[in-house]
Amino acid sequence: MPYVNIKVTREGVTPEQKAELIQGVTDLLVQVLGKNPASTVVVIDEVETDNWGIGGEAVTVLRKRGL
Amino acid sequence: MPYVNIKVTREGVTPEQKAELIQGVTDLLVQVLGKNPASTVVVIDEVETDNWGIGGEAVTVLRKRGL
Amino acid sequence: MPYVNIKVTREGVTPEQKAELIQGVTDLLVQVLGKNPASTVVVIDEVETDNWGIGGEAVTVLRKRGL
Amino acid sequence: MPYVNIKVTREGVTPEQKAELIQGVTDLLVQVLGKNPASTVVVIDEVETDNWGIGGEAVTVLRKRGL
Amino acid sequence: MPYVNIKVTREGVTPEQKAELIQGVTDLLVQVLGKNPASTVVVIDEVETDNWGIGGEAVTVLRKRGL
Amino acid sequence: MPYVNIKVTREGVTPEQKAELIQGVTDLLVQVLGKNPASTVVVIDEVETDNWGIGGEAVTVLRKRGL
């Protein structure tokens, strides 16, 4: 029954990587908490780099500086 | 003043259906909790089927199997 | 498979009212979108009135003014 | 280490305005709570007006009425 | 820079289990997406069983029926 | 109409600080985006240090090391 939300910047995450995240998080909840995988929900949000800030700056700006 | 977030897969929800969800949830909060509808906020997130996992698999994969 | 999060102020919501919200939102998603109720998740967050602001003020302050 | 999520309707917010929001919220958390700006994360979600409801109606409908 | 939110019912999750979830999710994001662990944030929300609904019923009720 | 959610660790935030955050974020949205303060909602979540992870470790552990 757990619900997991993963937020990352939208920078080319592939369907295969998303599948790995979904499987990996679900397995983790089964192993650590004994949760039922059938009702474990994982939602991935991909956020534009203009819309994600860290250290007071948008990731778009950080990427231009090579960070 | 309540805030409600509804997350569903992006699979063709129409503006009319969204309007029904917004109206229905708002009415429910008025009826059950006596909340003021004027300040009740409903936000609907439509999530790509690649980004929604259940049972360790993406919904894209489940749909291909007819689930 | 939908996920719904309802946030309200913590001001004496009873278990019966929570049950009505859970049932009501689940029914709505079945009726409007044809979703499977068995995998519809509803999470209710009750937020302290000090921690909820509207119009630039905490609800605690609004309540003291009779609002 | 704080995490801030700002949700607004998708109605032409510019990259410059997003940068101001990110900088402003980060500064606020430094000033009020003494948080480390380097690990302060701000995520802005822009929501379609069909998907945002207030007062039981979608913002799309409110905008057509000039509200 | 990812942000992960894990929601589970409040049913006796120990600090050790929380540490395993935090470590496990962080490792997963490093392995699958090459993210920097230093800025990966994981927030665990424990939700009262009265406040978590699935299949139209609160988990409190499901637990009484042995589910 | 914006909705802002601020998540911080539960480490003694006072009601006065919460009021400053609510006022400050609301003012920011008015100044930057011209939003109506009356319908701007701010919700502050205080998260136990066991439940907040960064760099793969719970904040409880980081605090014991003086970080």
Side-chain angles (χ1 to χ4, degrees):
Chain A
M1 228 161 14
Y3 170 81
V4 180
N5 180 226
I6 300 173
K7 288 186 198 292
V8 293
T9 44
R10 188 185 294 279
E11 299 180 280
V13 184
T14 66
E16 289 71 27
Q17 289 172 320
K18 293 174 186 177
E20 281 185 71
L21 291 174
I22 289 167
Q23 184 67 63
V25 167
T26 305
D27 287 352
L28 186 70
L29 284 155
V30 172
Q31 289 162 23
V32 176
L33 297 180
K35 294 293 183 182
N36 179 3
S39 58
T40 296
V41 173
V42 181
V43 171
I44 301 168
D45 290 330
E46 296 171 279
V47 177
E48 302 298 327
T49 55
D50 275 355
N51 291 17
W52 190 299
I54 184 162
E57 290 188 297
V59 172
T60 306
V61 174
L62 298 176
R63 292 294 183 252
K64 283 182 183 159
R65 289 212 303 270
L67 297 176
Chain B
M1 226 161 15
Y3 170 81
V4 180
N5 180 225
I6 300 173
K7 288 186 199 291
V8 293
T9 44
R10 188 185 294 277
E11 299 180 280
V13 183
T14 66
E16 289 71 27
Q17 288 172 321
K18 293 173 186 177
E20 281 184 71
L21 291 175
I22 289 168
Q23 183 68 64
V25 167
T26 304
D27 287 353
L28 186 71
L29 283 155
V30 171
Q31 288 162 23
V32 175
L33 297 181
K35 294 293 183 183
N36 179 3
S39 58
T40 296
V41 173
V42 181
V43 171
I44 301 168
D45 290 331
E46 296 172 277
V47 177
E48 302 298 326
T49 55
D50 275 355
N51 291 18
W52 191 299
I54 185 161
E57 290 187 297
V59 172
T60 306
V61 173
L62 298 176
R63 292 292 183 255
K64 282 181 183 160
R65 289 215 300 271
L67 297 175
Chain C
M1 228 160 15
Y3 170 81
V4 180
N5 179 226
I6 300 173
K7 288 186 197 293
V8 293
T9 45
R10 189 184 294 279
E11 299 180 279
V13 184
T14 66
E16 289 72 25
Q17 289 172 320
K18 293 173 185 176
E20 282 184 70
L21 291 174
I22 289 167
Q23 184 67 65
V25 167
T26 305
D27 288 352
L28 186 70
L29 283 155
V30 172
Q31 289 163 23
V32 176
L33 296 181
K35 294 293 182 184
N36 179 3
S39 59
T40 296
V41 173
V42 181
V43 171
I44 301 168
D45 290 330
E46 297 171 278
V47 177
E48 302 298 326
T49 55
D50 275 356
N51 292 18
W52 192 298
I54 185 162
E57 291 187 297
V59 172
T60 306
V61 174
L62 298 176
R63 292 293 183 255
K64 282 183 183 159
R65 289 215 300 271
L67 298 176
Chain D
M1 226 160 14
Y3 171 80
V4 180
N5 180 225
I6 300 174
K7 287 185 198 293
V8 293
T9 45
R10 188 185 295 277
E11 299 180 281
V13 184
T14 66
E16 290 71 27
Q17 288 172 320
K18 292 173 186 176
E20 281 185 70
L21 291 175
I22 289 167
Q23 184 67 65
V25 166
T26 304
D27 288 352
L28 186 71
L29 284 156
V30 172
Q31 288 163 22
V32 176
L33 297 181
K35 294 293 182 183
N36 179 2
S39 58
T40 296
V41 173
V42 181
V43 171
I44 302 168
D45 290 331
E46 297 172 277
V47 177
E48 302 298 326
T49 55
D50 274 357
N51 290 18
W52 191 299
I54 185 163
E57 289 187 298
V59 172
T60 306
V61 174
L62 299 176
R63 292 293 183 254
K64 282 182 184 160
R65 289 214 301 269
L67 298 176
Chain E
M1 225 160 14
Y3 171 80
V4 180
N5 180 226
I6 300 173
K7 288 186 198 291
V8 293
T9 45
R10 189 184 294 280
E11 298 180 280
V13 184
T14 66
E16 289 71 27
Q17 290 172 319
K18 293 173 186 177
E20 281 184 70
L21 291 175
I22 289 168
Q23 184 68 64
V25 167
T26 304
D27 287 353
L28 185 70
L29 284 155
V30 172
Q31 289 162 22
V32 176
L33 297 181
K35 295 292 183 184
N36 178 4
S39 57
T40 295
V41 173
V42 181
V43 171
I44 302 168
D45 291 330
E46 296 171 279
V47 177
E48 302 298 326
T49 55
D50 275 356
N51 291 17
W52 191 298
I54 185 161
E57 290 187 297
V59 172
T60 306
V61 173
L62 298 176
R63 292 293 183 253
K64 282 183 184 160
R65 289 213 301 271
L67 298 176
Chain F
M1 227 160 13
Y3 171 80
V4 180
N5 180 225
I6 300 173
K7 289 187 198 293
V8 294
T9 44
R10 188 185 294 279
E11 299 180 280
V13 184
T14 66
E16 289 71 26
Q17 289 172 320
K18 292 173 186 176
E20 281 185 71
L21 291 174
I22 289 167
Q23 183 68 63
V25 167
T26 305
D27 287 353
L28 185 71
L29 284 155
V30 171
Q31 289 163 23
V32 176
L33 297 181
K35 294 293 183 183
N36 178 2
S39 58
T40 296
V41 172
V42 181
V43 170
I44 301 167
D45 290 331
E46 297 172 278
V47 177
E48 302 298 326
T49 54
D50 275 356
N51 291 19
W52 191 298
I54 184 162
E57 290 187 298
V59 173
T60 306
V61 173
L62 299 176
R63 293 293 183 253
K64 282 181 184 160
R65 289 214 301 271
L67 298 175

